[in-house]
């Protein structure tokens, strides 16, 4: 969980290099806290996904300029820009869970590509087989227990 309020939680799920996922989480949490302090609101899922995308692109040497008015999470307090000298090796799902039960999800790939809104996604080792199983078992009318069974199976 990288942010929460009375009516929602914002969380990430990563697959890939654990250190890269933890590093990206730290940067996204910093951005969410900044947004909360400035606007008294948790940012929407799309905005956080685009922040993650900017970070991934920056580590590949692209997109140094931020033109949307948001804070540059790669700037340290002393003004230096964080760099690790290689692309980040992590797929990251950004999910916003509302108290009403609604969920908004976006996938950010290591290339910086942000997906359209997701309904479900399989990540990590065995994802090809998992994706096939998800396609076979998923129905629009699934309830929470059926979704949990699909996820665990």
């Amino acid at each position: 969980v990288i942010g929460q309020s009375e009516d929602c939680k914002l969380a990430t799920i990563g697959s890939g290099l654990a250190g890269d996922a933890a590093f990206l989480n730290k940067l996204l949490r910093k951005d969410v806290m900044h947004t909360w302090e400035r606007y008294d609101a948790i940012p929407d899922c799309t905005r956080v996904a685009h922040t993650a995308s900017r970070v991934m692109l920056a580590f590949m040497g692209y997109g140094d300029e931020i033109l949307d008015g948001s804070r540059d999470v790669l700037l340290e307090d002393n003004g230096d820009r964080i760099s690790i000298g290689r692309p980040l090796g992590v797929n990251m799902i950004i999910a916003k869970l509302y108290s009403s039960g609604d969920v908004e999800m976006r996938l950010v790939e290591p290339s910086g590509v942000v997906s359209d809104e997701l309904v479900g996604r399989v990540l990590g080792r065995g994802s090809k087989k998992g994706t096939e199983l998800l396609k076979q078992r998923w129905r629009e009318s699934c309830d929470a227990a059926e979704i949990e069974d699909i996820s665990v199976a």
Side-chain angles (χ1 to χ4, degrees):
V1 175
I2 60 173
Q4 71 181 55
S5 67
E6 291 179 14
D7 64 336
C8 69
K9 288 184 180 180
L10 190 62
T12 62
I13 303 163
S15 175
L17 298 175
D20 288 358
F23 176 71
L24 186 55
N25 254 349
K26 177 183 171 187
L27 294 177
L28 294 177
R29 188 175 290 119
K30 180 179 173 182
D31 185 58
V32 169
M33 286 179 11
H34 174 73
T35 302
W36 178 263
E37 290 168 357
R38 186 170 190 173
Y39 302 109
D40 197 27
I42 299 292
D44 67 12
C45 193
T46 303
R47 182 176 180 284
V48 176
H50 284 287
T51 298
S53 173
R54 277 201 319 257
V55 169
M56 291 179 176
L57 289 171
F59 280 98
M60 290 188 291
Y62 301 107
D64 285 341
E65 294 181 23
I66 295 178
L67 304 173
D68 66 1
S70 64
R71 182 175 186 202
D72 185 351
V73 295
L74 294 174
L75 284 180
E76 297 189 80
D77 293 336
N78 65 4
D80 291 342
R81 195 166 172 82
I82 300 170
S83 177
I84 59 173
R86 64 169 175 80
L88 296 176
V90 64
N91 282 298
M92 183 75 65
I93 292 179
I94 315 293
K96 192 168 185 179
L97 308 118
Y98 296 90
S99 57
S100 65
D102 293 335
V103 178
E104 179 187 359
M105 292 191 301
R106 303 270 182 210
L107 171 69
V108 184
E109 298 177 6
S111 64
V113 172
V114 177
S115 72
D116 292 332
E117 191 167 356
L118 297 177
V119 173
R121 182 70 179 215
V122 180
L123 296 176
R125 187 176 298 144
S127 63
K128 282 187 178 184
K129 183 171 180 149
T131 299
E132 288 304 314
L133 289 172
L134 183 62
K135 286 178 183 178
Q136 291 171 7
R137 297 177 182 178
W138 178 259
R139 293 183 330 276
E140 191 69 33
S141 61
C142 286
D143 63 16
E146 289 173 310
I147 293 170
E148 184 176 346
D149 287 342
I150 291 170
S151 300
V152 174

